[in-house]
Amino acid sequence: MQRHWFLFFLLAILNLTTGAQAEPAHDYGAWPLIDARADYQRAMTDRVAYLVEQGETLSVDDVQSLISANPAVLARPETSVLANGINSGAIWLVANVSNPTADPILRRVSVGTGWLERVDFFLITEGQQPQHFVGGDRIALGHRSIAKRLPSADFLLPPGKARLLLRVETADPMVVPLYFSSITENHSREQAEAIFFSFVYGVMFALSAYNLMLFAGLRKWRYLFYSLYTGTFVVVTASYNGIGMALLWPDSVGWQQWAPPLFMLCFVSSGLAFATSFLKTRRYRPRLHKTIQAIGVAYFALFGVFFALDKQGMALQLAFLVVPVFTVLMLYMGVSSWMAGNQSTRYFMLGTLASAIGASVTALTVDGVIRYSRLGYHALDIGMVVDAILLMLALADLTRKNKVARVTAERTAQIDLLTGLNNRRGFLPVAESLWSLSTRKGGNVCVAMIDIDHFKSINDQYGHAAGDRILKKIADELDNSRRKGDLLARWGGEEFTLLLPETDEAEARTVAERFRHNIEQLVVNDHGRMIRCTISVGVASRHAQHVTLEHAISKADEELYQAKVQGRNQISTGRTSDAA
């Protein structure tokens, strides 16, 4: 692997100042000394010295001769982890190891960075052949001296003194956390790191799987894009950390070099696809949407050309360019949507900001600008977890708002806008349930149909606007006159319907009479004009087990017609039967 892709947008600038990060060489007189009995639990690069190759590739003998001739070529790291930035050249770590005991001591020497291309370990003891181990992601897992994700070597240190040299080569950021410990301590450290990655990857995979299920159920593309976004982040980080090679493609060195830039393009593309879907740029920002699509197509086309020409270096440079463009576009879309009034964008912006800050802190850490720490080194992973969780909250918030809007729309569709009563669509489902319940329990239930007498004449005399106001007043009076539990609705025009559960024919007639009387006494003052109205009511009671609500409404409508024929402003009642 040749690039720590996610950090390009800072590293490209910081690389100009990399030379200023290394301390001037000092003459320490002798090689640094490590006590072989020590079991260092943390990185201890600050206990060794290092020198940077200047153009030519040096051999072990060249390094020893160079240091002997001029000890000032050695520099000492200021922190426990050497961070020299990108394109800093191959480096040599050197130290003497002292074993003051009479027995050999087994120690594992390892470098805790998974993207280094090649690490050579040398142990030189007097009178013996140098021991040489090799690791790095340009070497197939089975061909490494120890088949592990991180470059490692096990040395049996003899009594007396030995000389330890490591040559580290990479075009990525030169981050060298050197460990010198027992194998047991090494395993403990690896387990702790495995727990951390398990947490990060577990969260991301869980979110990815959950959103994939949401997509399968709801068929909303934003869930699929979000699933791909979180899933490809895991694949990308696993590829550059060496986890992918250790678990999935141990012998595919070529694929290990091409996987990071390819997965990176997939990660960025799915992130932008999610952002455009979530923020609805196709509808609200069509020009920006087309621009993003064009950029995505261009990136993949260029990657295909570089792959066909076997220009892996240029593909990595392209991947470097993708990251800052991705970050800027995500932030720009978030800010634009926020300014346009999309409140759900607050989670989106916070998430994008978290990942950008995490990437920046990790970039500054691996480039040596800020003091190395495990928190800073893993800030990118932590930032992406925060980003993923916040984006999930954004999706949940958007889903909640869509549900509220849908429920509101459905409720609005069931409400008569003029009177505020249920309309026929809102009345029938509830009435059917109440009717079925009364039928099962064998209880009484009645239906009433109500019509305003001579309402057409009112519209003709006073106008339709006045007619609407009078209709609203009458609806309010009917609503106030009904009993708690009765279901009232505007059936259409000047007609209303009323369902009376647990009510026999006599009770229903009493309720209807109260309605008729209250409306008869109602005087509507419309701009100084005193207007009176009356109503006619038809009531139908259920007297057979299998009578449907539809039959009852039809019977009540017949009774309403009889009330009008008989002179209006009165009530007519009838009974339904199976034959109705």
Side-chain angles (χ1 to χ4, degrees), residues 341-573:
N342 186 351
Q343 294 300 311
S344 295
T345 309
R346 63 185 184 276
Y347 294 115
F348 180 88
M349 288 193 57
L350 288 173
T352 304
L353 190 61
S355 61
I357 291 174
S360 302
V361 172
T362 299
L364 295 170
T365 299
V366 300
D367 206 46
V369 175
I370 62 178
R371 191 178 185 87
Y372 181 92
S373 67
R374 298 298 292 177
L375 181 62
Y377 181 72
H378 288 297
L380 170 59
D381 302 298
I382 297 170
M384 274 303 301
V385 169
V386 175
D387 181 22
I389 293 174
L390 287 172
L391 290 182
M392 188 63 203
L393 289 175
L395 279 174
D397 185 61
L398 182 63
T399 301
R400 179 188 62 79
K401 289 183 176 180
N402 287 341
K403 183 177 180 180
V404 170
R406 185 171 62 253
V407 170
T408 302
E410 291 175 355
R411 182 58 183 157
T412 301
Q414 297 173 351
I415 296 295
D416 177 62
L417 297 181
L418 175 62
T419 64
L421 300 177
N422 285 321
N423 58 20
R424 188 178 304 198
R425 181 176 179 181
F427 171 82
L428 286 175
V430 181
E432 288 281 5
S433 298
L434 293 173
W435 186 273
S436 298
L437 180 62
S438 295
T439 300
R440 289 196 301 270
K441 295 171 64 175
N444 294 314
V445 60
C446 293
V447 176
M449 294 296 292
I450 305 166
D451 186 81
I452 303 174
D453 297 329
H454 302 297
F455 190 72
K456 182 177 184 302
S457 299
I458 294 174
N459 278 331
D460 292 342
Q461 182 176 355
Y462 299 105
H464 286 279
D468 286 346
R469 289 191 291 271
I470 293 169
L471 189 64
K472 176 68 169 64
K473 290 286 187 179
I474 292 175
D476 291 341
E477 184 60 37
L478 292 175
D479 193 37
N480 292 331
S481 299
R482 70 181 176 87
R483 303 173 307 174
K484 184 177 182 181
D486 292 344
L487 187 64
L488 178 67
R490 183 183 179 189
W491 195 246
E494 65 271 21
E495 275 194 330
F496 300 86
T497 186
L498 180 72
L499 183 76
L500 301 101
E502 302 298 328
T503 305
D504 60 22
E505 185 177 340
E507 290 177 293
R509 187 175 185 89
T510 300
V511 172
E513 176 58 29
R514 183 169 68 249
F515 276 34
R516 189 203 64 78
H517 177 267
N518 290 348
I519 297 301
E520 187 180 36
Q521 299 301 312
L522 180 67
V523 179
V524 179
N525 185 342
D526 185 69
H527 302 297
R529 298 173 297 187
M530 300 302 173
I531 304 173
R532 293 178 178 271
C533 296
T534 61
I535 60 172
S536 298
V537 183
V539 178
S541 60
R542 181 178 63 82
H543 273 71
Q545 183 70 16
H546 301 294
V547 173
T548 65
L549 175 63
E550 182 181 359
H551 289 158
I553 292 174
S554 178
K555 179 62 177 175
D557 203 44
E558 292 176 7
E559 295 299 326
L560 173 62
Y561 177 76
Q562 289 299 320
K564 286 181 173 291
V565 168
Q566 295 169 11
R568 294 183 170 85
N569 192 21
Q570 58 184 279
I571 301 162
S572 177
T573 61

Side-chain angles (χ1 to χ4, degrees), residues 155-169:
F155 291 118
L156 191 62
L157 302 169
K161 285 189 176 183
R163 183 159 288 174
L164 179 66
L165 297 96
L166 280 76
R167 183 180 184 274
V168 183
E169 179 182 358

Side-chain angles (χ1 to χ4, degrees), residues 261-337:
L262 174 60
F263 288 144
M264 188 197 323
L265 289 177
C266 294
F267 168 71
V268 169
S269 299
S270 58
L272 289 175
F274 165 72
T276 55
S277 176
F278 176 78
L279 301 175
K280 299 180 181 179
T281 56
R282 183 190 295 273
R283 178 188 301 176
Y284 299 113
R285 302 294 301 277
R287 293 181 61 183
L288 176 62
H289 186 85
K290 291 180 180 179
T291 300
I292 291 172
Q293 287 184 322
I295 291 174
V297 171
Y299 276 143
F300 274 100
L302 283 173
F303 181 86
V305 171
F306 295 149
F307 181 80
L309 298 175
D310 196 25
K311 298 293 185 181
Q312 188 232 350
M314 297 183 70
L316 287 168
Q317 292 290 349
L318 175 66
F320 265 69
L321 181 61
V322 166
V323 177
V325 173
F326 168 70
T327 304
V328 170
L329 282 175
M330 292 283 277
L331 288 173
Y332 175 73
M333 284 190 290
V335 172
S336 299
S337 183

Side-chain angles (χ1 to χ4, degrees), residues 111-260:
V111 178
T113 302
W115 65 77
L116 301 175
E117 294 174 8
R118 182 183 176 95
V119 180
D120 291 273
F121 301 83
F122 300 94
L123 185 69
I124 302 170
T125 54
E126 190 173 352
Q128 297 183 19
Q129 288 292 326
Q131 298 181 52
H132 180 206
F133 289 79
V134 66
D137 71 358
R138 277 199 174 271
I139 302 170
L141 197 70
H143 295 164
R144 300 175 189 179
S145 299
I146 298 180
K148 295 180 71 65
R149 175 179 69 90
L150 300 176
S152 305
D154 291 339
F155 291 118
L156 191 62
L157 302 169
K161 285 189 176 183
R163 183 159 288 174
L164 179 66
L165 297 96
L166 280 76
R167 183 180 184 274
V168 183
E169 179 182 358
T170 187
D172 289 288
M174 182 64 73
V175 180
V176 187
L178 179 65
Y179 294 97
F180 184 93
S181 62
S182 64
I183 294 178
T184 300
E185 175 60 32
N186 182 267
H187 285 330
S188 297
R189 185 169 53 252
E190 289 180 346
Q191 286 180 340
E193 191 171 52
I195 291 172
F196 173 80
F197 281 120
S198 296
F199 168 75
V200 173
Y201 293 167
V203 170
M204 303 299 277
F205 265 131
L207 293 175
S208 179
Y210 177 66
N211 280 272
L212 192 59
M213 289 189 292
L214 288 177
F215 169 72
L218 302 176
R219 297 297 176 181
K220 298 289 187 180
W221 284 102
R222 58 177 174 267
Y223 294 111
L224 176 62
F225 295 144
Y226 183 78
S227 177
L228 293 174
Y229 177 62
T230 52
T232 52
F233 171 77
V234 174
V235 177
V236 171
T237 55
S239 67
Y240 77 68
N241 277 326
I243 296 174
M245 189 173 189
L247 298 179
L248 301 176
W249 53 83
D251 300 319
S252 302
V253 175
W255 171 245
Q256 174 64 18
Q257 306 308 307
W258 283 99

Side-chain angles (χ1 to χ4, degrees), residues 15-92:
N15 187 48
L16 299 174
T17 62
T18 299
Q21 305 305 321
E23 289 292 306
H26 297 287
D27 185 357
Y28 290 93
W31 293 49
L33 185 64
I34 299 174
D35 189 339
R37 296 170 299 181
D39 191 2
Y40 297 100
Q41 297 182 358
R42 299 182 181 276
M44 40 78 70
T45 316
D46 53 341
R47 295 177 179 272
V48 303
Y50 76 97
L51 64 86
V52 180
E53 285 187 354
Q54 303 295 331
E56 291 187 20
T57 300
L58 301 176
S59 66
V60 173
D61 291 338
D62 292 335
V63 172
Q64 294 196 94
S65 298
L66 186 61
I67 296 173
S68 297
N70 181 19
V73 297
L74 291 179
R76 293 290 290 271
E78 287 189 325
T79 63
S80 60
V81 175
L82 177 64
N84 266 19
I86 61 174
N87 295 321
S88 57
I91 65 168
W92 286 82

